[in-house]
């Protein structure tokens, strides 16, 4: 086991184990059945402390179900999820609270992430009140720090979330997830609804925060083109099964790749070409 300092400092209430294992997340022989359907079928992977894994697959392959299991929003039918040396909680408010503090998720459909009745300041202050012992002034400083990190202007703090643009909203959700210094961030299709410029901005932001905070990252996407430069490893899923897992630098090594991964790659390249043509000449029909 590695013994590491908790970068989050002393502001956490009842932190999990101080000894951080080299593996931040371990998923083993994971099965999930829902309404008589096998949604996940023997999924296995691990993410090292500070490591990053992309889970890639077409719609319906089970990516979101996997994220929900890791977030303890659903229970597996069988198998193991071990985070930072702790097993997935099955009961007990304290265990769930520790889990939700150290693992944060940002979804594609973020409309319900920020309470529409609160100002952006109050939305960002909420997790700090729930999960840290920071005082009012410290909370304000932390909010300003993270607002700056995600590239949002201070004046937006007065606004209700409904007044934010799609890109601003997504960045605010990222700030809310990161502001309590989680150990693992799960991003579930977080850039799918954004244009290509905003996609790149969010990816760059994730890279820099990952570098600065030593964050472990699980990045879920159907778009393979987003992964290089962001994640160390790629796990490809299809129909609830793991097709293969490899280092990102081996993505274009076609002789070693599964036919399904190559098909995913080709469809991504086709979409990119279409997008370039569209940008240059406008849509053809
Ligand atoms: N309650 C349920 N009962 C039965 N099947 C379900 C249930 N919920 C989801 N599914 C099915 O599980 C499969 C995996 O869904 P999931 O949302 O995890 O896939 P995904 O890869 O995240 O897809 P997307 O990218 O479209 O969100 C889908 O075929 C879906 O129809």
């Amino acid at each position: 086991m590695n013994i590491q300092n908790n970068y989050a400092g002393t502001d956490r209430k009842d932190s999990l184990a101080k000894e951080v294992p080299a593996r931040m997340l371990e998923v083993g022989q994971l099965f999930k059945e829902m309404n008589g359907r096998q949604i996940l079928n023997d999924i296995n992977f691990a993410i090292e402390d500070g490591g990053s894994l992309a889970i890639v697959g077409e719609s319906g392959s089970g990516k979101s179900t996997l994220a929900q299991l890791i977030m303890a929003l659903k229970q597996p039918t069988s198998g193991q999820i071990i985070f930072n040396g702790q097993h997935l909680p099955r009961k007990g408010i304290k265990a769930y609270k520790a889990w939700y503090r150290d693992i944060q998720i940002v979804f594609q459909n973020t409309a319900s992430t920020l309470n529409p009745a609160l100002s952006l300041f109050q939305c960002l202050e909420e997790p700090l009140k729930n999960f840290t012992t920071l005082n009012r002034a410290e909370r304000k400083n932390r909010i300003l720090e993270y607002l700056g990190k995600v590239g949002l202007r201070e004046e937006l703090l007065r606004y209700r979330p409904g007044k934010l643009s799609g890109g601003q909203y997504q960045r605010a959700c990222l700030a809310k997830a990161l502001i309590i210094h989680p150990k693992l961030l799960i991003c579930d299709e977080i850039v799918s609804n954004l244009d290509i410029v905003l996609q790149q901005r969010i990816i760059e932001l994730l890279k820099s925060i990952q570098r600065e905070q030593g964050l472990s990252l699980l990045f879920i996407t159907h778009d393979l083109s987003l992964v290089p430069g962001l994640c160390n490893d790629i796990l490809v899923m299809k129909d609830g099964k793991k097709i293969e897992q490899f280092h990102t630098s081996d993505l274009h090594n076609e002789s070693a790749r599964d036919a399904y991964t190559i098909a995913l790659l080709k469809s991504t390249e086709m979409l990119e070409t279409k997008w370039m043509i569209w940008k240059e000449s406008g849509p053809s029909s």
Side-chain angles (χ1 to χ4, degrees), residues 12-231:
R12 282 165 183 250
K13 291 171 182 170
D14 62 353
S15 189
L16 283 178
K18 289 278 184 267
E19 285 192 349
V20 181
R23 288 191 155 179
M24 186 54 77
L25 179 70
E26 264 184 279
V27 169
Q29 295 170 305
L30 193 69
F31 290 81
K32 178 66 181 172
E33 193 186 306
M34 287 196 284
N35 296 321
R37 277 191 61 197
Q38 200 65 49
I39 309 296
L40 294 177
N41 204 328
D42 197 14
I43 300 296
N44 300 277
F45 65 86
I47 301 181
E48 304 296 308
D49 183 14
S52 50
L53 175 73
I55 306 250
V56 182
E58 62 196 340
S59 186
S61 54
K63 307 180 299 294
S64 297
T65 305
L66 179 60
Q68 286 162 5
L69 293 180
I70 296 168
M71 283 304 295
L73 301 173
K74 289 187 171 123
Q75 288 292 330
T77 306
S78 63
Q80 287 194 324
I81 298 177
I82 303 171
F83 169 68
N84 199 23
Q86 314 274 321
H87 282 266
L88 184 76
R90 287 187 186 267
K91 54 184 173 189
I93 289 172
K94 221 174 155 185
Y96 274 108
K97 199 171 173 187
W99 200 264
Y100 293 142
R101 179 194 55 223
D102 286 338
I103 308 181
Q104 288 286 306
I105 186 163
V106 183
F107 294 104
Q108 171 183 13
N109 289 327
T110 47
S112 57
T113 306
L114 305 176
N115 185 337
L118 301 180
S119 67
L120 178 57
F121 184 90
Q122 289 169 316
C123 291
L124 296 178
E125 195 181 28
E126 214 174 34
L128 294 173
K129 282 183 172 169
N130 287 338
F131 292 116
T132 77
T133 53
L134 297 181
N135 65 30
R136 199 180 155 79
E138 289 167 335
R139 289 199 298 269
K140 184 167 182 203
N141 283 341
R142 181 77 72 87
I143 288 168
L144 291 176
E145 179 193 342
Y146 273 82
L147 205 69
K149 275 188 202 283
V150 300
L152 292 177
R153 298 189 312 277
E154 195 177 331
E155 70 201 54
L156 295 179
L157 286 174
R158 284 184 280 121
Y159 288 21
R160 298 268 158 107
K163 283 206 158 189
L164 304 176
S165 71
Q168 287 171 336
Y169 196 104
Q170 193 61 284
R171 279 183 278 168
C173 291
L174 257 183
K176 187 180 175 195
L178 294 167
I179 205 162
I180 52 169
H181 295 172
K183 292 184 165 79
L184 172 70
L185 179 70
I186 302 176
C187 297
D188 188 358
E189 300 277 11
I190 63 166
V191 294
S192 301
N193 289 337
L194 304 178
D195 68 45
I196 206 158
V197 177
L198 271 175
Q199 282 189 350
Q200 280 315 314
R201 224 182 262 169
I202 300 254
I203 298 289
E204 288 308 316
L205 174 68
L206 276 176
K207 280 190 216 169
S208 67
I209 288 178
Q210 210 205 350
R211 262 195 316 269
E212 272 172 39
Q213 294 190 181
L215 186 73
S216 303
L217 179 69
L218 181 63
F219 188 80
I220 294 172
T221 182
H222 62 271
D223 186 348
L224 261 173
S225 71
L226 298 170
V227 179
L230 179 64
C231 295

